[in-house]
Amino acid sequence: MDSKSTPRVVVVGAGFGGLNAARLLARYPVQVTVVDRKNHHTFQPLLYQVATAGLSPGEIAAPIRWVLGRRSNVEVLMEEVSNFDLDRRIVITSEQQIPYDYLIVAAGARHAYFGHDEWEPWAPGLKTIEDALEIRRRVLLAFELAERQAAGGEGAVSLNFVVVGGGPTGVELAGTLAEIARHVLAHEFRKIDPRSTHILLLEGGPRILPTYPEDLSRSAEKQLGNLGVEVRTSTMVTGVEPGAIRIGESRLPAAVILWAAGVAASPLGKKLAAPVDRAGRVLVQPDLSIPGHPEVFIIGDLAALKDEHGNLLPGVAPVAIQEGRFVAHTIGRELKGEARRNFHYFDKGSLATIGRAAAVAQFGKIHISGFVAWLAWLFIHIFFLIGFRNRLIVLIQWAWSYFTYERGARLITGSTNLPGWSEPKPAGVSSQSPADEPSKRVAV
Amino acid sequence: MDSKSTPRVVVVGAGFGGLNAARLLARYPVQVTVVDRKNHHTFQPLLYQVATAGLSPGEIAAPIRWVLGRRSNVEVLMEEVSNFDLDRRIVITSEQQIPYDYLIVAAGARHAYFGHDEWEPWAPGLKTIEDALEIRRRVLLAFELAERQAAGGEGAVSLNFVVVGGGPTGVELAGTLAEIARHVLAHEFRKIDPRSTHILLLEGGPRILPTYPEDLSRSAEKQLGNLGVEVRTSTMVTGVEPGAIRIGESRLPAAVILWAAGVAASPLGKKLAAPVDRAGRVLVQPDLSIPGHPEVFIIGDLAALKDEHGNLLPGVAPVAIQEGRFVAHTIGRELKGEARRNFHYFDKGSLATIGRAAAVAQFGKIHISGFVAWLAWLFIHIFFLIGFRNRLIVLIQWAWSYFTYERGARLITGSTNLPGWSEPKPAGVSSQSPADEPSKRVAV
């Protein structure tokens, strides 16, 4: 470390881990550079609400500069990190090389397709605002195209929506899609009945919410059933194609397929000369640094660390937040000459929402379900949102939606095609009557 | 008209004209089909607020189905109309042919480039939500790229933003961009000073807001000056290229160029076998129908109609709303056997906002400027927004922004390139120091 100048800490990624590290580091005598390829921090726990038209992107995202702007020893760069030179202590972006004294890598994770990346175009996952807008587009467009098809004289079709993966994201998506089909859109169509939409949640393992206690998994499955979702466990997807999904030997037509199954760590994890696990997570030391480089820390979804019971810490916001704060303090203390400590995660509990007034929660030995769990989920999420304005507006949106069954952001933007639906016929003057030209469109 | 069944009215376009026609038609014994290529009605007067990150798209848009959903004799189709067969009374979409007894075409207008459509990629206009998001992306990204460039050791650059066209949209955009540069972002960057951003508003004619009284044009120019906008009138753009604009013989580097100059009516206007003016607007009869086809009406920005003084009615929401309601009543009355009347526009006044606490307004002979005009503008726009939730949330967003100088939707989504900025260097391991590789980036 250069003893003549202020130590420079580079933080890669401004998710929960990176942002909390940077906020706390700002109190120490260091110069902090936060690098993120986006200009905004995304509140990922509410991303499914953007995907299901309940909230607007601006209501769950905050500009990184705005969050950190008042801290004069913090700078923010919107750039994509491509590599590291650990020996020379340099972060390499597409634009420049940034030297560091300490490095915190908090680059997160993406969804993974178990080696079937070719499925992605037909079954988008949910990790970014762009992902959420694409899912929203597909969900809303499916109903519009079904109505159009029925109005064109091809008879009413009933829609299948398939969600792959029974973790918290899959459960949230399936539950909210059911609410949209059964309540939000129920009376707005003339040729189709959105209430006949079939929502299917597929889980490869024996139960949904596998990281939760068994009684809560059972409760979640029951609550999903009440909302109108069919849950199939121990079910493996064998193929995804435009407009259909393959389960074992059978092929199920599907208007929309959403992917909430696998997770893969950022590819940056493999560029750190440290061992990684099967999902690409970096196996960190007990102080969250990597072997041979005590000045390099990995936090959040990119880090693999086991708790005292030998269980891997889950990829959730509270873990990332505590890791970010721990690493900031570790650096601050080290600059004062203090010794390092080991990281310990303090588990305050877990909550998963399922839908309207439906959720499960575990606080230590206390397991709760239904309305009370849902209220707890709601207020905890409002509380952790960044920015008072976002909190106020999300609270209003939710209260409004709860009482009216309306959703605040039902926009289709971008392309108006959907995989598996045929392209529109070429436009132009035609004097044929509709009956002369039977449609070749695929019914899904 | 088929006397055996309920008359069918097809409304093409769900802007202010089409939506108001459909709402009122629902009260008459007719079957209404609204066809729009979008699923949402866009409140165009506030589109510039989405483009300048003040509001989220969902806050100024309303799903057409939701607006019309409770009216059982109205159906909504999300399809693109490609042509008409006036003799057989059929609307041709990309998907089907829709028969009608009455047709209302309210397909609106787009921005136009005076025969230079090749300028569009470098100078986007503002007519749809997608347009607004593209402008927002460019504006916010310009500051990020300038900071990145300066951090990469190329020295601070000052940014030029150019808005072409001094009508209400150009004035709103320029005024709000000045507020963003001078206040919203002022303290969030370390290497550049957003307050040094140069905002230039270009107008081809001798004064901005040419449809307003001269004293209000002068006032608007003064108010823009106070906000930090340079206004150049009688200035013709001779070229637009990536990262620069040509004015006469000179070339001005520009980080972002926005187009608010020309307007061209929807190309559907030319498919109606009726005369059109130079901008493609259909020259309608005094009852808003077209010659030889009393069952076909044109309303809103697509219609060209002169008032009693020989002035063309402007392409603004109040004209479209009154025309939509007039045509609905005309059809309703005709079904009762009553005679047709001529349309008369009742001008309640005009307002144009300029920026924070800055606006001009004309109500008959009363001309007002500044804070009072701005308050009038604000409440009138809140009042006309569709949906109580949108009104409440927009009001909160505005109050918040007014007191904090923050903006609620500062997200960059989509591509992270900007025309005129060089592509990022190829990513990969490199042991060169930054000084070895001088950048070729264009300074704008």
Side-chain angles (χ1 to χ4, degrees):
Chain A
M1 201 181 310
D2 184 349
S3 60
K4 281 167 285 184
S5 61
T6 314
R8 189 173 195 187
V9 186
V10 175
V11 180
V12 177
F16 287 107
L19 208 53
N20 278 281
R23 278 171 153 180
L24 211 53
L25 278 167
R27 300 191 202 160
Y28 291 104
V30 291
Q31 186 64 41
V32 183
T33 301
V34 177
V35 187
D36 197 293
R37 58 182 165 183
K38 303 280 180 195
N39 82 322
H40 52 272
H41 165 79
T42 305
F43 192 78
Q44 285 196 8
L46 293 183
L47 213 42
Y48 84 97
Q49 295 240 352
V50 173
T52 54
L55 296 174
S56 284
E59 294 162 1
I60 66 153
I64 300 164
R65 282 187 195 290
W66 173 80
V67 177
L68 298 170
R70 277 157 299 180
R71 295 162 174 89
S72 62
N73 59 334
V74 179
E75 67 168 356
V76 178
L77 287 176
M78 182 183 163
E79 297 196 26
E80 181 146 15
V81 172
S82 56
N83 214 329
F84 308 96
D85 185 335
L86 296 185
D87 294 333
R88 298 177 58 234
R89 297 192 178 176
I90 281 174
V91 173
I92 299 161
T93 76
S94 51
E95 297 285 319
Q96 59 191 292
Q97 306 192 342
I98 309 170
Y100 63 80
D101 298 301
Y102 286 102
L103 172 64
I104 302 173
V105 185
R110 288 278 307 167
H111 39 272
Y113 291 82
F114 309 130
H116 287 283
D117 285 352
E118 73 276 13
W119 294 353
E120 184 162 19
W122 325 124
L126 182 60
K127 273 287 176 186
T128 65
I129 294 282
E130 284 88 348
D131 293 341
L133 294 177
E134 173 61 15
I135 290 177
R136 182 180 83 181
R137 188 184 76 79
R138 292 191 188 202
V139 167
L140 297 177
L141 195 54
F143 291 101
E144 296 293 338
L145 294 185
E147 176 85 350
R148 179 197 293 180
Q149 194 163 313
E154 296 169 62
V157 290
S158 80
L159 294 167
N160 287 328
F161 284 53
V162 180
V163 180
V164 183
T169 301
V171 167
E172 286 161 356
L173 284 172
T176 316
L177 288 178
E179 184 180 339
I180 290 176
R182 289 203 159 189
H183 297 287
V184 179
L185 302 180
H187 303 289
E188 293 188 5
F189 291 79
R190 300 287 173 263
K191 310 285 196 236
I192 62 164
D193 183 356
R195 287 170 298 185
S196 69
T197 306
H198 184 206
I199 319 276
L200 187 59
L201 176 64
L202 304 180
E203 163 61 35
R207 61 188 175 99
I208 59 170
L209 299 181
T211 63
Y212 282 69
E214 274 199 54
D215 60 318
L216 291 183
S217 289
R218 277 195 303 275
S219 168
E221 188 166 336
K222 188 157 167 287
Q223 293 182 65
L224 278 171
N226 294 341
L227 293 168
V229 176
E230 184 193 346
V231 179
R232 286 194 211 165
T233 52
S234 305
T235 301
M236 298 306 284
V237 172
T238 51
V240 179
E241 53 198 72
I245 190 162
R246 288 188 183 274
I247 303 166
E249 297 296 302
S250 65
R251 179 183 181 279
L252 182 74
V256 176
I257 304 166
L258 305 181
W259 194 262
V263 162
S266 160
L268 287 180
K270 299 198 176 79
K271 304 198 167 171
L272 287 158
V276 297
D277 71 5
R278 223 168 47 125
R281 283 175 293 225
V282 180
L283 304 172
V284 292
Q285 310 279 90
D287 66 354
L288 301 175
S289 69
I290 57 173
H293 287 283
E295 78 283 5
V296 178
F297 299 92
I298 317 294
I299 60 173
D301 290 0
L302 185 57
L305 184 70
K306 288 183 173 159
D307 64 15
E308 53 267 38
H309 310 296
N311 299 321
L312 199 67
L313 293 178
V316 294
V319 171
I321 292 169
Q322 290 182 32
E323 289 178 345
R325 297 178 58 88
F326 170 83
V327 166
H329 281 311
T330 297
I331 293 170
R333 280 194 300 256
E334 191 156 278
L335 293 172
K336 291 185 218 158
E338 293 177 33
R340 291 206 177 180
R341 302 174 195 174
N342 291 343
F343 173 73
H344 293 287
Y345 174 54
F346 176 58
D347 186 356
K348 295 176 190 163
S350 333
L351 296 113
T353 186
I354 294 162
R356 189 180 180 77
V360 293
Q362 174 193 23
F363 303 108
K365 291 203 190 314
I366 303 167
H367 299 178
I368 52 175
S369 289
F371 189 74
V372 175
W374 181 73
L375 270 188
W377 177 90
L378 199 143
F379 283 104
I380 287 172
H381 282 74
I382 290 277
F383 181 80
F384 277 101
L385 254 182
I386 288 177
F388 180 76
R389 167 161 48 183
N390 281 350
R391 279 179 216 143
L392 178 65
I393 286 178
V394 169
L395 194 61
I396 293 171
Q397 295 275 25
W398 285 354
W400 193 273
S401 296
Y402 184 75
F403 290 110
T404 63
Y405 285 98
E406 290 170 6
R407 297 184 77 77
R410 271 174 50 199
L411 271 70
I412 298 172
T413 50
S415 160
T416 52
N417 286 325
L418 207 55
W421 242 279
S422 73
E423 299 293 307
K425 294 170 211 155
V429 192
S430 161
S431 59
Q432 290 177 295
S433 84
D436 295 338
E437 197 178 347
S439 168
K440 303 286 188 300
R441 258 162 283 148
V442 182
V444 292
Chain B
M1 198 180 310
D2 184 349
S3 60
K4 282 166 284 183
S5 61
T6 314
R8 190 174 193 184
V9 185
V10 174
V11 180
V12 177
F16 287 106
L19 208 53
N20 279 281
R23 276 171 155 180
L24 211 53
L25 277 168
R27 298 192 204 158
Y28 290 105
V30 292
Q31 186 64 41
V32 182
T33 301
V34 176
V35 187
D36 197 293
R37 56 181 166 184
K38 302 280 180 195
N39 83 321
H40 52 273
H41 165 79
T42 305
F43 192 78
Q44 285 195 9
L46 293 182
L47 213 42
Y48 84 97
Q49 294 241 354
V50 173
T52 54
L55 295 174
S56 285
E59 295 161 2
I60 66 152
I64 301 164
R65 282 187 193 292
W66 172 78
V67 177
L68 298 171
R70 276 158 300 179
R71 293 161 174 91
S72 62
N73 58 335
V74 179
E75 67 169 355
V76 178
L77 288 175
M78 182 183 162
E79 297 196 24
E80 182 147 14
V81 171
S82 55
N83 214 331
F84 307 97
D85 184 335
L86 296 185
D87 294 332
R88 297 179 55 235
R89 297 191 177 175
I90 282 173
V91 173
I92 300 162
T93 76
S94 51
E95 297 286 320
Q96 58 190 290
Q97 305 192 342
I98 309 170
Y100 63 80
D101 297 300
Y102 285 103
L103 171 65
I104 302 174
V105 185
R110 287 278 306 167
H111 39 273
Y113 291 82
F114 309 130
H116 287 283
D117 286 351
E118 73 277 13
W119 293 353
E120 183 162 20
W122 325 124
L126 182 60
K127 273 287 176 187
T128 65
I129 294 281
E130 283 89 348
D131 293 341
L133 294 177
E134 174 61 15
I135 290 176
R136 182 179 82 180
R137 188 184 77 79
R138 292 191 188 201
V139 168
L140 297 177
L141 196 54
F143 291 102
E144 297 292 337
L145 295 184
E147 176 85 350
R148 180 197 292 180
Q149 195 163 314
E154 294 168 62
V157 291
S158 80
L159 296 167
N160 287 328
F161 285 52
V162 180
V163 179
V164 183
T169 300
V171 167
E172 285 161 356
L173 283 172
T176 315
L177 288 178
E179 184 182 338
I180 289 176
R182 290 202 158 189
H183 299 287
V184 179
L185 301 180
H187 304 289
E188 294 188 5
F189 290 80
R190 300 286 172 264
K191 310 285 196 239
I192 63 164
D193 183 356
R195 287 168 299 185
S196 69
T197 306
H198 183 206
I199 318 275
L200 186 60
L201 177 63
L202 303 181
E203 164 60 36
R207 60 185 176 101
I208 60 169
L209 298 181
T211 62
Y212 283 69
E214 274 199 56
D215 60 318
L216 291 183
S217 290
R218 278 196 302 275
S219 168
E221 189 167 337
K222 189 157 168 286
Q223 293 183 64
L224 278 170
N226 294 342
L227 292 168
V229 175
E230 184 195 343
V231 178
R232 286 194 210 164
T233 50
S234 304
T235 300
M236 297 306 285
V237 173
T238 51
V240 179
E241 52 198 73
I245 190 162
R246 288 187 183 276
I247 303 165
E249 297 295 302
S250 67
R251 178 183 180 280
L252 182 74
V256 176
I257 304 166
L258 304 181
W259 194 263
V263 163
S266 160
L268 287 180
K270 298 200 176 81
K271 303 198 167 173
L272 287 159
V276 297
D277 70 5
R278 224 168 46 123
R281 282 176 292 226
V282 179
L283 304 172
V284 293
Q285 311 277 91
D287 65 356
L288 302 173
S289 69
I290 57 174
H293 287 283
E295 77 283 6
V296 178
F297 299 92
I298 319 292
I299 60 174
D301 290 0
L302 184 57
L305 185 70
K306 289 185 174 159
D307 65 14
E308 53 268 39
H309 310 296
N311 299 319
L312 199 67
L313 294 178
V316 295
V319 171
I321 292 170
Q322 290 181 31
E323 288 179 345
R325 297 178 58 88
F326 170 83
V327 167
H329 281 309
T330 298
I331 293 171
R333 279 194 300 257
E334 190 156 279
L335 293 173
K336 290 186 219 157
E338 293 177 30
R340 291 206 176 180
R341 302 173 195 173
N342 290 344
F343 174 73
H344 293 287
Y345 175 53
F346 176 59
D347 186 356
K348 296 175 189 164
S350 332
L351 295 114
T353 184
I354 294 162
R356 190 182 181 76
V360 293
Q362 173 194 22
F363 303 108
K365 291 204 189 312
I366 303 166
H367 299 179
I368 52 174
S369 288
F371 188 75
V372 176
W374 180 73
L375 270 188
W377 177 90
L378 200 142
F379 283 104
I380 286 171
H381 282 76
I382 290 277
F383 181 79
F384 277 101
L385 255 180
I386 287 177
F388 180 78
R389 167 162 48 184
N390 281 350
R391 278 179 217 146
L392 178 65
I393 287 178
V394 169
L395 194 60
I396 292 172
Q397 296 276 25
W398 284 354
W400 193 271
S401 296
Y402 184 76
F403 291 110
T404 64
Y405 285 97
E406 291 168 6
R407 297 186 76 76
R410 272 175 49 198
L411 272 70
I412 298 172
T413 50
S415 161
T416 53
N417 286 325
L418 206 55
W421 242 279
S422 73
E423 299 294 306
K425 294 170 208 154
V429 191
S430 160
S431 59
Q432 289 176 297
S433 86
D436 294 338
E437 197 177 348
S439 169
K440 304 285 186 298
R441 257 162 286 147
V442 181
V444 290

